[in-house]
Amino acid sequence: MTRLAILGAAGRMGSALVRCAQQLDTVDVAVAIDRQGHPAIGRDAGVVAGHGSIGVAISDDLATVRSADVLIDFTSHTAVPRHVQAAVDAGRAVVIGTTGLDEAETAAVHAAAKVVPVVWAPNMSLGVNLLFELVRQAAAVLGLDYDAEITETHHRHKTDAPSGTALGLAKAVAAGRQQQLADVACWGREGQVGARPKGEIGVHAIRAGDVIGDHTVILAGDNERLELSHRASSRDAFAMGALRAAHWAAQQPAGLYGMNDVLGL
Ligand code: NAD
């Protein structure tokens, strides 16, 4: 049984993790953490998640992660450096689902992975991780004659754009076509942008309502168009993947891993 510390336990993903963990006999929620001053501090994490009591109160004391084998972070990009440091200090594996990290925050993740196992993935669902591979293959076969455009749609509360998953899909197109994403990315269009340059990878973000996460990769040639889409219908798709990653990470040596490693893709 892998004992978990859920960071961001009162959030949308944290709640899904607490609920889904109750369905598995491989993991157990030992610690639940949220930010200082959050109204859920002191309340039972299971009750906050809408499941019923699990006997673990949400705390703001990061030192308590020592009671767990693995940390799972779905919080805010600004909190990630402190959380990976807590994993390093405690000598514990960490699974990071949080997206929107800047350069310094990303460097903190890489530094932690030299000391403890780190699974870091912008999307923990099985379907999306399979999609990354399918997109890489399709882009490799179709090449630069097919224009690549990516759209993503998320709920109105999402704070970063484009989504980490859309970035991952753009990287998959670039990898398949042997391009550097930074050289060819187009992050939305407005005004007199001119004709589309060959080889560009367009990425577009829609924010609307309560959409959990939709992604489409369009590969369009002169006479045909291929569209590869994924639609998440429940956050449990990400939560189940993150729980599987946590159980897996507890057994690994230090290093930076992706969901492809966890899923053996
Ligand atoms: P949310 O706002 O519902 O939840 C975030 C929680 O983290 C909140 O309860 C907040 O109080 C808490 N938090 C913020 N700062 C904290 C800190 N310093 N210490 C402890 N807790 C802190 O957000 P969400 O929809 O659950 O998403 C969280 C993150 O996960 C986002 O970056 C989102 O993009 C990402 N996400 C990733 C995946 C994936 O599969 N990798 C899937 C869904 C969401």
Side-chain angles (χ1 to χ4, degrees):
M1 182 77 87
T2 304
R3 291 167 303 160
L4 307 173
I6 310 288
L7 310 181
R12 282 176 285 263
M13 276 306 299
S15 293
L17 287 160
V18 169
R19 269 188 290 101
C20 289
Q22 310 312 310
Q23 300 168 29
L24 302 176
D25 52 15
T26 49
V27 295
D28 187 37
V29 177
V31 176
I33 304 265
D34 211 286
R35 64 173 169 73
Q36 225 174 11
H38 193 288
I41 299 296
R43 294 185 61 205
D44 186 281
V47 173
V48 170
H51 172 82
S53 174
I54 60 165
V56 178
I58 299 181
S59 153
D60 58 7
D61 181 5
L62 256 188
T64 57
V65 299
R66 284 184 186 280
S67 308
D69 304 312
V70 183
L71 288 67
I72 306 184
D73 177 286
F74 282 84
T75 58
S76 154
H77 64 102
T78 56
V80 169
R82 218 158 65 85
H83 290 166
V84 293
Q85 188 57 49
V88 167
D89 292 345
R92 301 292 191 269
V94 56
V95 174
I96 304 163
T98 303
T99 60
L101 277 64
D102 67 19
E103 231 171 89
E105 293 155 356
T106 301
V109 173
H110 284 271
K114 293 195 165 66
V115 189
V116 294
V118 178
V119 178
W120 188 26
N123 192 309
M124 304 271 176
S125 88
L126 177 58
V128 159
N129 284 281
L130 187 57
L131 181 64
F132 286 143
E133 182 52 26
L134 295 174
V135 165
R136 191 192 61 73
Q137 281 181 24
V141 171
L142 298 176
L144 296 179
D145 286 340
Y146 283 66
D147 299 331
E149 295 282 318
I150 296 163
T151 63
E152 57 102 333
T153 307
H154 281 86
H155 55 87
R156 61 170 75 95
H157 305 288
K158 186 165 176 61
T159 54
D160 57 317
S163 69
T165 305
L167 280 177
L169 291 167
K171 282 182 192 159
V173 172
R177 304 198 307 198
Q178 301 188 343
Q179 295 173 299
Q180 292 300 321
L181 180 60
D183 299 341
V184 294
C186 170
W187 310 112
R189 297 187 185 87
E190 197 223 1
Q192 297 297 324
V193 294
R196 188 185 199 285
K198 189 169 180 169
E200 194 167 73
I201 299 175
V203 185
H204 312 277
I206 296 163
R207 295 289 170 266
D210 61 355
V211 178
I212 289 173
D214 293 355
H215 293 85
T216 295
V217 178
I218 302 167
L219 295 164
D222 281 336
N223 305 305
E224 61 175 356
R225 180 169 84 226
L226 173 64
E227 296 189 5
L228 296 163
S229 291
H230 178 272
R231 291 188 176 83
S233 47
S234 163
R235 286 188 176 81
D236 293 7
F238 313 126
M240 282 298 188
L243 294 171
R244 185 166 166 174
H247 184 59
W248 180 90
Q251 319 299 328
Q252 305 307 315
L256 186 59
Y257 304 97
M259 281 305 283
N260 51 336
D261 299 309
V262 176
L263 299 170
L265 290 175

